[in-house]
Amino acid sequence: MTVPSDAPPFPTRLRQTAIAVLAVLLGAFVFYTSFNGPFESLVQRALFVMTISALAVLMHPLFEGSRWRPLGMFIDAAIVAVVTVSGCYIIGNYQDIMTDLPWATGWDKLMGFGTLLCVLELARRTSNWVFPLIVLISVGYAFFGYLIPGQFGHRGFDTGYLTEIIFLSDRGLWGMLVNVASTTLAAFVLFGAILLHTGAGETFFDLSARLGGSRPGGAAKIATFASGFFGAINGSTVANVATTGNFTIPLMKRLKYPPAYAGAVEAIASTGGQLAPPIMGTAAFVMAELVGLNYWSIALAGVVPALLFYLGIYSTVHVIALRQGFRPVTDDTLPDWRGAMSFARLAPIVAGLLGLSFGVINGNSVELTACYGMIAMLIAVLVARISKGEDPRAVLGIILRALEAGGKGVVIVGILLVGAQVFVAMINLTGFGVAVTAAVLSVGQGQLWLIAGLMAVVCLIAGMGLPTSAAYVMVAAVFAPALIQQGIDPLVVHMFVLYYAALSVITPPVCLGVFVAATIAQAPWMKVAGQTLRLGATAYALPMLFIAYPGMLGGGGAERIARAVISGAVFVLSTAHLLGGARLPWGAVSRLLWVLPAILALMSPWWATLGGALLFGALVLSSRKINLSHETGETQPA
């Protein structure tokens, strides 16, 4: 067999083959355990950690392309060996670990801390140095906390006891978050991979183009819809910006959108995808464990906030489009409705939803429910291909590619959650979260909104530089108790924390989503960040509305839910018109009138909410009487 001249060298081809095989095996493992149920807890988790560690090493080799690569290969092999030996040791002794509370030996200490360092090195490669540094600090705090005076000090713990927590129990490297990653989270990542590989990705984009492209500012609306669709099953703001942004940002620039504005639209829209059900940046599954609620309750609670988030973005870009004269996308460049809505394109999506619905109605576990959805999608795509006269054997290729993508997709979040579980264990062991809660309550002096404001700022800072799931776990473990002690429902508090943790990815100075968008847009990142904050201002206010109106998350009866939805919609729309610069016929200063319905929406009486809605409607009618700049065909900087 002749190798093409432009083919990569043999070692690279071998590594790519190994990645594909191992990813398919991991995807098959996820599918098997979703359908038949997981293995014994420590066995399931150890197998998962061993596999994702090997994949992470192959996907992110150390010193690749440099003269130090031989050293990198040695270190990579050592990491795989250490994690594999440790995992096999846990599997072989899981019964003793769970029943006899073993005493840590020197060998246990070596394996425990060696495995932890290996996992943190892989976390550094897959994300950045911020996360592993935080975990190391938490472990160091457990060792040396006795040296710290005052309420943040503690008695300290020796190496043996920490080894028993981190390695020889289900509280550290093999803890609850790892269980979530290896079961429910992995199942939905695989579900999303199958969904995309059955053609849903193209369908989502075509639907986004048809839904938003023909309206003023159509390119920005395409970005909003597409990023929402992809983000809901993607799980990463940065990955969402990198994928959808490579199409939507150049499209906006071709239509004369300012580069910084084009990047900002994509950055904020991709961030919203991390807060949209069903995956919610993979944090929904973790939240279900931390709050003690069914996953479906978490997903349902996230629906209204996600809709309000995107209502705010859509309304802001619409107002800006009218004011600046951003034209619709021409009809000849939009996809045909008939193609987007064809049986072959829609069948896998509809079948997947029906499969999920069957699992929910039948009362099955989340993993088995996701498995039903996967099976239904594969059957649908098989039927669709046969009906079109295509070779049904091509479905096997779809299955293999989907298993590979699903296996790769779970690696990063899996590695991060292993490290995050160690962080949570250290926080609980040392009582650091209790000390932080006491400090926040002392500063807040019982003032709920002051405490909430402090928590919001701290969550934004603490989550910077971290993926959504890791950021959420970090801030929830440390800061959530401060608000819960104020009598707020734990679900409201955790959703509050999740939103600010997710928004940290677009909050300067460490705003990874903005950096990626700015690179694609070829614009200064500070300008992109400024525009992103403007477009996302309503998103920063939304978590405060959770506290004011818990019905926004489905709590309370129909009246409380209706009140929360109406108040939230009035607030979001009014703020969007204010920030978008919607004009009113009484001079430039009159634009401040948009603040009034937003304020009324925040007041407690029903009459204030209805008054805000009526006032907003009156202002919209007045605004429409203005000759908007889009009618002149002039396009100005946004």
Side-chain angles (χ1 to χ4, degrees):
M1 179 178 178
T2 304
V3 178
S5 59
D6 59 345
F10 176 75
T12 302
R13 298 200 308 273
L14 182 62
R15 181 165 60 85
Q16 291 172 345
T17 301
I19 290 172
V21 171
L22 200 54
V24 169
L25 290 175
L26 178 57
F29 168 79
V30 171
F31 187 88
Y32 175 83
T33 55
S34 297
F35 190 78
N36 291 294
F39 298 107
E40 293 287 345
S41 59
L42 288 185
V43 175
Q44 172 86 11
R45 301 170 197 181
L47 285 171
F48 179 75
V49 173
M50 290 160 57
T51 309
I52 63 173
S53 298
L55 256 178
V57 165
L58 290 169
M59 292 169 63
H60 305 276
L62 187 62
F63 302 138
E64 184 180 20
S66 77
R67 62 190 180 92
W68 296 99
R69 179 56 189 151
L71 175 61
M73 293 175 66
F74 175 79
I75 295 174
D76 287 347
I79 289 174
V80 174
V82 169
V83 177
T84 301
V85 169
S86 297
C88 291
Y89 179 84
I90 294 296
I91 292 172
N93 296 276
Y94 78 92
Q95 288 184 332
D96 292 338
I97 292 173
M98 295 304 296
T99 58
D100 294 342
L101 300 176
W103 188 269
T105 65
W107 176 243
D108 294 329
K109 296 174 186 178
L110 184 62
M111 284 193 297
F113 284 97
T115 303
L116 175 60
L117 291 176
C118 290
V119 168
L120 294 183
E121 162 59 14
L122 295 178
R124 181 197 64 79
R125 298 187 198 180
T126 55
S127 59
N128 54 53
W129 58 268
V130 176
F131 173 76
L133 180 60
I134 292 173
V135 178
L136 284 175
I137 290 173
S138 72
V139 176
Y141 177 67
F143 272 119
F144 303 110
Y146 67 93
L147 299 175
I148 301 174
Q151 69 185 64
F152 287 100
H154 59 82
R155 65 182 180 88
F157 302 93
D158 62 21
T159 307
Y161 188 71
L162 287 181
T163 300
E164 292 163 18
I165 297 296
I166 293 173
F167 185 64
L168 297 176
S169 75
D170 59 354
R171 297 166 60 187
L173 290 165
W174 329 105
M176 174 267 295
L177 297 182
V178 186
N179 182 66
V180 173
S182 66
T183 54
T184 54
L185 189 153
F188 265 90
V189 170
L190 183 58
F191 174 88
I194 293 177
L195 183 64
L196 292 178
H197 280 78
T198 53
E202 185 180 357
T203 303
F204 284 155
F205 196 88
D206 286 354
L207 289 175
S208 300
R210 294 304 316 188
L211 288 172
S214 60
R215 303 282 294 163
K221 291 171 181 175
I222 291 174
T224 301
F225 282 116
S227 298
F229 284 140
F230 280 97
I233 57 174
N234 179 286
S236 168
T237 296
V238 174
N240 200 2
V241 173
T243 51
T244 59
N246 271 309
F247 180 85
T248 60
I249 292 175
L251 174 63
M252 286 184 272
K253 290 179 67 177
R254 285 199 301 271
L255 295 174
K256 308 303 181 184
Y257 288 48
Y261 177 72
V265 171
E266 182 57 47
I268 186 63
S270 293
T271 302
Q274 313 319 294
L275 301 168
I279 292 180
M280 297 170 65
T282 69
F285 311 101
V286 178
M287 188 185 297
E289 292 290 335
L290 295 180
V291 179
L293 291 176
N294 183 281
Y295 158 75
W296 300 110
S297 300
I298 303 294
L300 187 61
V303 171
V304 171
L307 291 176
L308 291 176
F309 187 106
Y310 277 100
L311 178 63
I313 300 173
Y314 184 92
S315 301
T316 305
V317 299
H318 178 72
V319 170
I320 291 174
L322 292 178
R323 182 168 58 84
Q324 303 297 344
F326 292 143
R327 299 288 187 180
V329 178
T330 55
D331 195 62
D332 60 329
T333 62
L334 293 176
D336 183 53
W337 267 117
R338 289 171 296 181
M341 301 295 288
S342 67
F343 170 76
R345 297 278 293 276
L346 290 180
I349 299 175
V350 174
L353 293 176
L354 290 175
L356 292 179
S357 300
F358 173 79
V360 172
I361 295 171
N362 205 37
N364 298 115
S365 67
V366 177
E367 306 94 275
L368 184 55
T369 298
C371 197
Y372 286 148
M374 297 182 227
I375 294 171
M377 282 189 289
L378 293 174
I379 293 174
V381 75
L382 178 63
V383 171
R385 287 184 176 273
I386 292 175
S387 66
K388 292 174 63 177
E390 298 181 11
D391 187 352
R393 290 176 296 181
V395 176
L396 178 61
I398 292 175
I399 295 173
L400 291 176
R401 290 192 297 272
L403 288 174
E404 180 181 350
K408 291 179 180 178
V410 80
V411 168
I412 295 178
V413 68
I415 290 291
L416 292 176
L417 286 180
V418 175
Q421 178 62 59
V422 174
F423 173 83
V424 171
M426 296 300 100
I427 294 300
N428 293 336
L429 179 66
T430 59
F432 181 74
V434 176
V436 169
T437 297
V440 171
L441 295 179
S442 176
V443 174
Q445 294 294 318
Q447 299 297 316
L448 175 60
W449 293 108
L450 176 58
I451 294 172
L454 289 172
M455 293 285 296
V457 173
V458 171
C459 288
L460 286 171
I461 295 172
M464 287 181 178
L466 299 176
T468 300
S469 55
Y472 162 67
V473 172
M474 294 286 190
V475 297
V478 179
F479 304 114
L483 278 175
I484 293 175
Q485 286 196 17
Q486 295 299 297
I488 302 176
D489 184 88
L491 174 59
V492 174
V493 174
H494 278 262
M495 199 69 78
F496 176 95
V497 166
L498 170 61
Y499 263 66
Y500 283 118
L503 289 170
S504 65
V505 79
I506 56 168
T507 304
V510 187
C511 38
L512 300 181
V514 168
F515 293 157
V516 176
T519 301
I520 299 173
Q522 297 179 324
W525 76 266
M526 281 298 293
K527 289 186 176 180
V528 177
Q531 292 279 12
T532 303
L533 293 177
R534 172 191 179 188
L535 294 172
T538 54
Y540 284 88
L542 265 181
M544 295 296 178
L545 295 183
F546 302 163
I547 297 176
Y549 300 109
M552 196 171 288
L553 304 180
E559 181 180 347
R560 292 186 67 184
I561 295 173
R563 169 73 190 282
V565 171
I566 295 172
S567 298
V570 172
F571 176 84
V572 164
L573 290 170
S574 301
T575 307
H577 280 70
L578 173 68
L579 297 174
R583 297 175 180 175
L584 291 170
W586 309 293
V589 179
S590 66
R591 295 181 191 177
L592 296 177
L593 291 174
W594 294 109
V595 174
L596 296 179
I599 293 175
L600 287 171
L602 298 178
M603 296 174 65
S604 55
W606 253 111
W607 64 261
T609 300
L610 296 177
L614 292 174
L615 178 57
F616 173 75
L619 291 176
V620 168
L621 291 176
S622 299
S623 180
R624 287 183 176 177
K625 297 178 181 178
I626 304 294
N627 289 323
L628 299 175
S629 60
H630 80 285
E631 295 176 355
T632 68
E634 298 176 359
T635 302
Q636 306 166 14

